[in-house]
Amino acid sequence: MMDFLDEIKLSRKDKTWRGYKIAFTYFLQSCDKKCADELQRIDLLRFAVFLRDKKKLSPRTVHNRFASVLTFLESQGVHKLIGKNDKPRFVETEVEIYEDNQLIDLYSVCSLYHRMLYEFLLMTGFREQEAMYVTWENIRFRSNIVEMKWKPQFDWTPKAYKEREVPAPSVLFKALEIYRKSLPPKRAVETALVFSTKSGKPDTHMIRALKRNAKKAGLNRDDYWLHKFRATFATTHLRAGADLKTVMSWMGQTTLESILRYLKPARKSEVMHLVNSSFVGPTFDSRKKIEEDEAA
């Protein structure tokens, strides 16, 4: 397993390597066999139970840890050790987005820095680390474009190693101009990070600050996380009529399935308008007349 972990560390992102390392640590705690070719189906079944009952992991996390071990075993030539129905399952939950009132309440307690960060995530669909490493030279004010670029100076590469450009509303760029003017000169130069610590280093506490701001606003901290801005970005564009392939490109997605998750149905007044508009015609007009006669 150590050789496999070394390969992952050299070829994949640090977050991926940590995930594999945790999975292997748990697996070794649940199984005392030393060689992959000694493993049997029952060992993997016990591993799944160990993750669920001993480590108290969520169904999705159990699935992910289990999948990491399977990937390792397949790399060692151990195939078809378990059946399709043996793999841990989890319920695919509906994608959640921010409602307007949630953002209004959140923004009411935010500093200029954090409000700018959240509006940036909302209007660009950038992932956490993409926002963490965006520099002022990536903000093209004249063309209303935000670039997501490889940053060798920070030893950071984009997900799937793909750069992209995302168009954003004019209101975002006007806000960015105001925000930039509020910064010390060193943090406003072209090569500086847009969202950084006071010393100019990447802000690695974005999620912690979001939870803190939610609590400060008297909101449920569990309802606020960074990826939810990205989901809101996608859903907002899709509801407005942007086509799937275009939104895929803006988000840096590689499969149609990955973007379809964000195609959420309309809500609130939009729902009632849609429902009421669907059931019209002679059949439903007669029902309405019956109800009016009964009321009279």
Side-chain angles (χ1 to χ4, degrees):
M1 282 187 173
M2 296 307 299
D3 290 341
F4 182 84
L5 276 176
D6 288 341
E7 292 180 12
I8 293 295
K9 192 166 189 177
L10 291 171
S11 61
R12 307 287 289 277
K13 291 185 177 295
D14 188 61
K15 184 178 179 179
T16 303
W17 172 78
R18 289 198 304 269
Y20 274 103
K21 185 178 180 181
I22 293 171
F24 294 167
T25 299
Y26 288 167
F27 183 68
L28 293 176
Q29 291 175 5
S30 72
C31 180
D32 58 2
K33 294 180 179 177
K34 303 300 181 183
C35 299
D37 56 9
E38 295 179 2
L39 294 174
Q40 298 178 340
R41 173 173 174 268
I42 190 64
D43 296 310
L44 290 175
L45 296 180
R46 286 171 177 162
F47 176 50
V49 173
F50 174 82
L51 294 174
R52 183 193 67 200
D53 296 346
K54 296 294 184 180
K55 293 301 179 180
K56 307 295 183 182
L57 301 182
S58 69
R60 187 181 189 109
T61 305
V62 170
H63 174 273
N64 292 341
R65 300 291 182 243
F66 194 89
S68 295
V69 171
L70 285 185
T71 299
F72 163 71
L73 292 177
E74 290 176 0
S75 74
Q76 304 303 304
V78 180
H79 304 287
K80 298 181 179 180
L81 195 60
I82 61 171
K84 181 180 179 180
N85 293 329
D86 291 331
K87 296 180 180 179
R89 300 180 181 182
F90 64 93
V91 176
E92 187 72 42
T93 57
E94 184 181 3
V95 172
E96 293 187 40
I97 64 172
Y98 287 116
E99 302 293 350
D100 290 343
N101 63 300
Q102 289 180 303
L103 294 176
I104 291 171
D105 291 343
L106 177 67
Y107 292 165
S108 68
V109 301
C110 287
S111 63
L112 174 61
Y113 173 83
H114 284 122
R115 173 160 184 167
M116 189 70 260
L117 170 62
Y118 304 150
E119 289 186 341
F120 180 86
L121 293 171
L122 180 68
M123 297 184 200
T124 63
F126 271 37
R127 300 177 177 91
E128 177 184 1
Q129 288 207 359
E130 292 171 351
M132 194 183 301
Y133 291 104
V134 68
T135 58
W136 285 111
E137 60 189 351
N138 299 138
I139 310 296
R140 288 160 46 187
F141 288 95
R142 292 186 178 181
S143 53
N144 281 28
I145 293 289
V146 180
E147 301 173 330
M148 197 278 291
K149 295 284 188 180
W150 171 46
K151 295 296 189 306
Q153 67 270 38
F154 297 108
D155 192 27
W156 180 81
T157 54
K159 187 172 183 178
Y161 298 91
K162 289 186 177 181
E163 298 181 336
R164 69 181 189 278
E165 296 181 349
V166 181
S170 298
V171 64
L172 176 65
F173 292 91
K174 290 178 181 178
L176 282 168
E177 287 179 339
I178 295 172
Y179 164 66
R180 189 177 188 179
K181 290 176 182 178
S182 72
L183 297 174
K186 289 184 178 180
R187 290 177 57 194
V189 298
E190 288 291 290
T191 56
L193 294 170
V194 176
F195 304 106
S196 68
T197 63
K198 291 182 179 180
S199 60
K201 295 181 179 179
D203 180 357
T204 59
H205 300 293
M206 291 180 177
I207 183 60
R208 185 182 302 175
L210 176 59
K211 298 288 186 181
R212 185 174 62 246
N213 284 326
K215 182 179 180 180
K216 184 178 178 181
L219 305 167
N220 186 350
R221 298 171 72 254
D222 294 337
D223 290 337
Y224 290 80
W225 60 92
L226 294 172
H227 193 82
K228 197 169 177 178
F229 289 105
R230 180 170 163 85
T232 309
F233 165 87
T235 300
T236 301
H237 276 303
L238 291 170
R239 284 181 179 172
D243 65 90
L244 291 170
K245 288 189 176 180
T246 296
V247 179
M248 277 179 62
S249 173
W250 291 344
M251 296 184 70
Q253 299 281 22
T254 56
T255 64
L256 190 61
E257 182 181 0
S258 62
I259 196 66
L260 283 174
R261 297 180 63 244
Y262 300 106
L263 192 56
K264 296 173 67 64
R267 293 183 176 182
K268 296 182 179 178
S269 60
E270 297 173 357
V271 171
M272 293 312 302
H273 176 73
L274 176 63
V275 170
N276 290 330
S277 299
S278 297
F279 290 93
V280 295
T283 301
F284 307 106
D285 289 344
S286 63
R287 164 57 61 185
K288 182 178 180 182
K289 186 176 185 307
I290 293 172
E291 292 175 351
E292 290 175 349
D293 290 343
E294 290 178 347

